[in-house]
């Protein structure tokens, strides 16, 4: 059974204080690992897809990295508008294109 | 439309009633997914459509839940004899096969 564990559950940062979110996963063959951002009362918003160990992707203050067991979402010099819940999900290589999500990390960035 | 549209945005129903939740996917997206998200949890897979057919319905919790996509576009999630435990946000997503899924805003279902 595919499993995704995200840590920490919640993270409070000061504006400009860089940090990382962790996503540990077990999957029987990985097709892709996805990061989404979710604001309160909204649906998840796609950020990145990573396909193989060693891959990195960046978007503004966010950088996602992938190893064979985990992924990190690095947030550099965050701003209050980066406050949201960040969700990690895995898509198995076999079978259908469904995603297994973690519970998310709730990030709060204070000015 | 430009994105995935879900209606209604909020639904309050009495225990035991029947409800229908609608999803309009992004035009041209052949894959459509329903997920359910409870407070403080990540989205939980319910059912996946490829075209008109349900390719994987292994996430439906029991036979009170059913979903259709008769013309390969709009989908309806149907819940019979609703229970208080069905209260959650129901999310729909669509994608081109194999690519990233785009989510709607969700329908918040409250069973009282």
């Amino acid at each position: 059974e595919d499993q995704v564990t995200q840590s920490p559950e919640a993270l409070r940062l000061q504006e400009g204080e860089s940090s990382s979110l962790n996503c540990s996963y077990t999957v029987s063959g990985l097709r892709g690992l996805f990061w989404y951002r979710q604001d309160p009362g909204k649906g998840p918003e796609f950020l990145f897809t990573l396909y193989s160990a060693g891959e990195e992707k960046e978007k503004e203050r966010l950088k996602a990295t992938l190893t064979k067991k985990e992924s990190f979402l690095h947030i550099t010099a965050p701003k209050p508008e980066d406050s949201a819940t960040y969700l990690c999900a895995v898509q198995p290589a076999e079978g259908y294109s469904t995603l297994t999500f973690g519970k998310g990390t709730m990030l709060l960035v204070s000015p | 439309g430009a994105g995935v549209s879900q209606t209604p945005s909020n639904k309050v129903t009495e225990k035991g009633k029947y409800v229908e939740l609608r999803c309009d996917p992004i035009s041209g997206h052949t894959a459509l997914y329903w997920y359910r998200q409870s407070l403080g949890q990540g989205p939980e897979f319910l059912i996946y459509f490829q075209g008109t057919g349900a390719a994987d319905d292994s996430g439906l919790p029991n036979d009170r839940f059913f979903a259709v996509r008769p013309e390969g576009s709009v989908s309806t999630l149907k819940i019979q004899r609703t229970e208080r435990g069905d209260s959650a946000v129901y999310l729909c997503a669509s994608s081109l096969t194999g690519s990233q899924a785009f989510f709607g805003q969700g329908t918040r279902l409250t069973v009282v």
Side-chain angles (χ1 to χ4, degrees):
Chain A
E1 183 180 332
D2 303 338
Q3 287 192 328
V4 177
T5 303
Q6 292 189 245
S7 61
E9 292 184 2
L11 180 63
R12 189 164 193 157
L13 299 174
Q14 289 294 118
E15 184 171 4
E17 179 187 1
S18 301
S19 189
S20 295
L21 313 182
N22 178 264
C23 171
S24 298
Y25 65 91
T26 55
V27 64
S28 53
L30 180 70
R31 176 177 294 169
L33 183 140
F34 297 76
W35 282 98
Y36 284 85
R37 169 191 171 128
Q38 187 172 29
D39 293 296
K42 307 287 188 183
E45 175 187 344
F46 172 77
L47 292 174
F48 304 107
T49 310
L50 301 166
Y51 294 102
S52 57
E55 188 175 1
E56 298 183 352
K57 288 194 176 172
E58 289 189 62
K59 179 181 179 180
E60 295 181 356
R61 295 176 293 282
L62 301 176
K63 183 169 80 171
T65 62
L66 181 65
T67 72
K68 288 186 178 180
K69 294 183 179 181
E70 58 192 351
S71 176
F72 292 93
L73 184 65
H74 307 277
I75 305 176
T76 302
K79 297 182 177 182
E81 54 262 42
D82 294 322
S83 297
T85 294
Y86 290 85
L87 296 165
C88 171
V90 295
Q91 183 182 54
E94 299 296 326
Y96 304 109
S97 302
T98 59
L99 300 175
T100 298
F101 281 86
K103 292 184 179 182
T105 293
M106 185 183 300
L107 174 67
L108 178 62
V109 182
S110 303
Chain B
V4 177
S5 176
Q6 292 188 246
T7 54
S9 54
N10 282 284
K11 176 71 176 179
V12 179
T13 191
E14 292 181 347
K15 180 176 176 295
K17 298 289 188 183
Y18 167 83
V19 296
E20 290 189 351
L21 312 180
R22 177 187 168 105
C23 172
D24 275 278
I26 293 172
S27 179
H29 280 190
T30 54
L32 185 146
Y33 313 81
W34 284 98
Y35 288 82
R36 177 168 70 175
Q37 187 173 26
S38 301
L39 192 64
Q41 304 293 313
E44 174 190 23
F45 168 73
L46 295 177
I47 187 169
Y48 161 55
F49 286 91
Q50 182 59 36
T52 60
D56 183 357
D57 64 357
S58 62
L60 295 178
N62 52 60
D63 61 5
R64 295 186 298 105
F65 288 75
F66 189 70
V68 295
R69 195 186 185 198
E71 297 179 356
S73 179
V74 171
S75 176
T76 305
L77 178 65
K78 308 180 180 191
I79 311 174
Q80 297 178 320
R81 304 183 305 279
T82 51
E83 300 177 356
R84 292 196 178 88
D86 299 334
S87 297
V89 175
Y90 289 81
L91 294 165
C92 177
S94 71
S95 74
L96 296 171
T97 304
S99 70
Q100 72 266 20
F102 294 88
F103 283 82
Q105 302 280 61
T107 293
R108 181 175 298 278
L109 175 66
T110 304
V111 182
V112 297

